[in-house]
Amino acid sequence: MRSDAAAPAPRRLRANQDHFVAPLEETPLRAVDAVDTTAAPRSMWGEAWHNLVRNPIFLISAALIILLLIVAAVPGLFTSLDPTKGNLAISNQRPGEGHLLGTTRQGYDVWARIVYGTRTSLSVGFIAMIVSTAIGVVLGALAGYLGGWVDEVLSRITEIFFALPLVLGAIVAFNALQRPGIVTVALILAIFGWTNIARITRGSVIAVKSQDFITASTALGAGRFVNLVRHVLPNAIAPVIVTATVNLGVFIVAEATLSFLGLGTGGVSWGGDISDARDALRTNPMMLFYPSAALALCVLSFIMLGDAVRDALDPKARKR
């Protein structure tokens, strides 16, 4: 066999076409592609955090959420007025000195009610999110990991609650209560809002429990619940965190909707202020705009945070 038979054919150039090759010293690929082999590899959470801090959407949403948390925790730093004390002498006053955003028909300071309404919305949202996530993770993990009749029973229970609309179920529950407080409202929303977490947890656990490292752990003598707690759940929790973050915004909207209908906590609430401002829509539309803008900004912050966390934990879900 001839030795030149396997030689590749020379590349031919078209007519009037020049072929340029950059000098090696002008292409320092060795410096660009250098990898620090002594550095410890990042974990999944370390890699996710590395991506998050470089995502402008995460930085903006995190800054807004931190600001909202400060407002909810220390409202006195932002206003010295009592949002529950009205003065009819200054009813429907325009924005000016002493009243940054003006006053309502009952003489309440609009800015003070927005500031103190932040505490109500975030309190209900966080409590409902934590309780619903706990319920959904427990039921979804047991259904996905144990399978069999346990999966069938828990899946049917999940489907029953999934068929009940969140706000409608809360309205029915509120009819049996007399002016429920923040914790009661949050618990009612959590009871009707855990189904998405359970379904996502179940699917994620089913995908993880068939991995080789779970089989290896079982072969080394680990029990079923030890595997579930130590190995399956930590590797299946990423999509649950994303869903819980988005659900927080959903619960805040649900609380505002109930307050708008007169079924909320009975205290200072953005939804209640939106409802009260309907009568002044033609004469003073800004009374409706201010609490609506606060609600929209709060919910948008958590939705943006959920999108950023999703992209960091699941690179396949990134937008192309």
Side-chain angles (χ1 to χ4, degrees):
M1 184 175 181
R2 291 169 52 182
S3 59
D4 59 347
R11 181 179 180 182
R12 296 181 180 180
L13 302 178
R14 298 179 180 177
N16 300 326
Q17 180 182 4
D18 296 329
H19 187 203
F20 295 95
V21 178
L24 182 60
E25 59 272 10
E26 296 183 7
T27 58
L29 297 179
R30 181 174 301 176
V32 174
D33 296 341
V35 177
D36 185 7
T37 58
T38 62
R42 295 193 187 100
S43 63
M44 180 187 71
W45 300 105
E47 185 67 26
W49 177 252
H50 178 78
N51 294 329
L52 279 176
V53 296
R54 286 161 176 77
N55 189 341
I57 295 179
F58 169 77
L59 297 178
I60 294 173
S61 60
L64 291 174
I65 291 172
I66 291 174
L67 177 60
L68 290 171
L69 291 175
I70 295 175
V71 172
V74 195
L77 293 178
F78 300 89
T79 180
S80 59
L81 299 177
D82 189 343
T84 61
K85 290 185 178 180
N87 185 0
L88 294 178
I90 56 173
S91 175
N92 290 326
Q93 181 174 315
R94 298 292 180 177
E97 185 177 356
H99 300 283
L100 181 62
L101 301 179
T103 62
T104 65
R105 185 179 59 178
Q106 294 80 17
Y108 297 123
D109 183 79
V110 175
W111 171 248
R113 293 187 67 84
I114 290 177
V115 169
Y116 279 88
T118 306
R119 172 180 292 181
T120 301
S121 296
L122 291 186
S123 299
V124 171
F126 274 104
I127 295 174
M129 183 267 292
I130 293 172
V131 175
S132 64
T133 301
I135 296 174
V137 167
V138 171
L139 297 183
L142 292 177
Y145 189 72
L146 298 179
W149 67 269
V150 177
D151 185 18
E152 290 292 333
V153 173
L154 294 180
S155 295
R156 300 295 82 77
I157 294 175
T158 303
E159 290 173 359
I160 292 173
F161 279 88
F162 187 78
L164 298 175
L166 175 62
V167 175
L168 180 59
I171 291 175
V172 174
F174 284 152
N175 287 332
L177 301 175
Q178 297 293 332
R179 299 183 64 84
I182 291 178
V183 176
T184 305
V185 173
L187 292 178
I188 291 175
L189 292 176
I191 291 173
F192 293 99
W194 56 269
T195 53
N196 282 336
I197 295 291
R199 290 161 66 95
I200 291 174
T201 303
R202 175 182 176 274
S204 185
V205 167
I206 290 176
V208 172
K209 75 175 185 178
S210 60
Q211 299 294 323
D212 292 339
F213 67 91
I214 302 298
T215 304
S217 177
T218 304
L220 292 174
R224 301 181 68 181
F225 286 96
V226 172
N227 273 337
L228 176 61
V229 175
R230 292 188 178 180
H231 303 294
V232 175
L233 278 180
N235 289 278
I237 204 67
V240 177
I241 294 176
V242 176
T243 306
T245 305
V246 177
N247 280 353
L248 180 54
V250 174
F251 289 132
I252 291 175
V253 172
E255 184 277 329
T257 303
L258 294 171
S259 296
F260 180 86
L261 298 174
L263 298 173
T265 61
V268 181
S269 173
W270 291 336
D273 291 343
I274 294 173
S275 177
D276 294 337
R278 290 179 299 171
D279 297 334
L281 181 59
R282 294 184 178 180
T283 59
N284 192 4
M286 298 307 293
M287 292 297 100
L288 181 64
F289 172 78
Y290 294 135
S292 301
L295 176 62
L297 183 63
C298 180
V299 175
L300 179 62
S301 300
F302 287 105
I303 292 177
M304 291 171 56
L305 180 66
D307 288 341
V309 173
R310 179 202 60 193
D311 293 343
L313 294 176
D314 186 9
K316 296 180 181 179
R318 295 177 184 175
K319 297 179 180 179
R320 298 180 180 178

